[in-house]
Amino acid sequence: MKRALITGITGQDGSYLAELLLEKGYEVYGIMRRKSVVDYGNVDHIRDRIHFIYADMTDPISLIAAMRISQADEVYNLAAQSFVATSWEQPIATANIDALGVTNMLEAIRTVKPEARFYQASTSEMFGLVQEMPQKETTPFYPRSPYGVAKLYGHWITKNYRESYGLFACSGILFNHESERRGKEFVTRKITDAVARIKQGVQDHLELGNLDSKRDWGHSKDYVRAMWLMLQQEEPDDYVIATNETRTVREFVETAFGHVGISIVWSGEGVDEIGTDKETGRALVKVNKNFFRPAEVDVLLGDPSKAEKKLGWVREIPFTELVERMVKNDMELVAKEIKVNAL
């Protein structure tokens, strides 16, 4: 039985990856930070099948202990301060976790079990001010946020340890991937949660930033399968995981509202733009300049051809289904919330 250690196991990707590995017969270990109230997050439904270890990405001693306890054959580093907006408010904490934390994990592996295979969660935000369309493994990086900069360090230190120490270390440059388990801090979940609340009469409108930002959106369940495939190869390498399709935030909004039978009509421009219900003329979406980034990433579009060819990876969940799954899930959650509040 293979052993896997997952950092960030309670998050969106961590939970889908844990499910995948359990299905494949792995013994799964997950790193958690100690809190005053225990929170298993997205793995609460499978917590009895996971071995939890208390550790922190900024504490190398705890990561060495986690490696000694788990004796992991595969390590998936998904832990991060993953909110781009927060990275401007907490740039030092973001660097400590997303950059130096990767080095701490790599050192723990090198110290305890150098034959273990390592996956680093890199991000399309490293491309930032894009230098090439679409972006692929050889595209130059130009991060536009403290988050992107920190992640770029994590990406390069992973490559450095692979080349310097012979570790089996891979980076997955994952473009935006969402799901029903995405946190409400992310724009996609903010949209689908708001759509559900507006439809059920418990919210008036939705406020967003740049509606013209373009992203390459896929489903997390597809993307964690790519992570696993990377660590099953004969040689370590880095791969872009994406859909090769780009959509604006505006398109995401339209698709989400469309799923609940509301057609959005747009008026105005820039910070004055408003989205109204075609039937009632009611303003449901408003642009708020406070949600614009200090340095905007206008467009991200990934080329997954290398992963498709070498890993045999195939995306299974299309954009429309992704949005519909998220809206359906939030409709159910909001309905339950309304029912509880009515008691």
Side-chain angles (χ1 to χ4, degrees), residues 135-316:
Q135 295 88 59
K136 47 185 181 286
E137 292 80 5
T138 56
T139 301
F141 298 114
Y142 197 135
R144 298 267 281 172
S145 66
Y147 169 75
V149 172
K151 277 292 193 175
L152 184 54
Y153 175 97
H155 178 79
W156 279 111
I157 200 67
T158 298
K159 186 186 291 284
N160 184 262
Y161 269 62
R162 179 170 73 215
E163 296 176 352
S164 300
Y165 300 116
L167 296 186
F168 193 107
C170 302
S171 283
I173 307 173
L174 272 56
F175 280 63
N176 295 67
H177 50 289
E178 318 299 325
S179 77
E180 305 89 310
R181 299 176 186 176
R182 179 55 99 185
K184 293 181 182 179
E185 301 88 348
F186 293 85
V187 67
T188 51
R189 184 71 193 290
K190 178 181 180 180
I191 292 168
T192 59
D193 176 68
V195 166
R197 293 179 181 279
I198 290 169
K199 179 65 176 179
Q200 299 184 62
V202 292
Q203 183 169 322
D204 291 326
H205 68 279
L206 165 66
E207 294 189 3
L208 295 169
N210 187 1
L211 295 174
D212 294 318
S213 289
K214 295 180 179 180
R215 294 293 183 268
D216 183 326
W217 276 301
H219 196 288
S220 174
K221 197 169 185 178
D222 283 336
Y223 286 39
V224 300
R225 192 171 66 256
M227 299 176 189
W228 176 78
L229 285 169
M230 289 179 210
L231 298 196
Q232 312 314 307
Q233 305 306 303
E234 291 186 7
E235 299 294 334
D237 206 347
D238 305 326
Y239 298 88
V240 162
I241 306 299
T243 70
N244 202 26
E245 298 175 0
T246 187
R247 315 272 181 160
T248 63
V249 173
R250 186 185 287 100
E251 286 179 88
F252 197 107
V253 170
E254 291 171 345
T255 304
F257 272 107
H259 186 60
V260 296
I262 298 175
S263 180
I264 295 292
V265 177
W266 301 98
S267 61
E269 193 172 309
V271 294
D272 297 319
E273 189 159 11
I274 295 175
T276 59
D277 184 338
K278 183 178 181 181
E279 295 295 323
T280 66
R282 177 184 163 201
L284 300 182
V285 184
K286 299 178 182 178
V287 173
N288 186 332
K289 64 180 181 181
N290 293 323
F291 294 136
F292 280 70
R293 295 182 180 185
E296 189 62 65
V297 174
D298 295 317
V299 58
L300 292 172
L301 175 64
D303 177 2
S305 56
K306 178 179 175 181
E308 291 171 345
K309 181 179 179 180
K310 291 193 173 183
L311 303 179
W313 178 76
V314 178
R315 170 204 185 191
E316 296 179 355

Side-chain angles (χ1 to χ4, degrees), residues 8-10 30-39 52-58 79-81 97:
I9 195 169
T10 61
I31 285 180
M32 290 179 64
R33 285 180 296 168
R34 190 175 292 279
K35 300 178 182 178
S36 57
V37 178
V38 178
D39 181 10
F52 292 99
I53 302 170
Y54 286 113
D56 192 287
M57 296 304 293
T58 63
Q81 190 300 98
I97 298 167

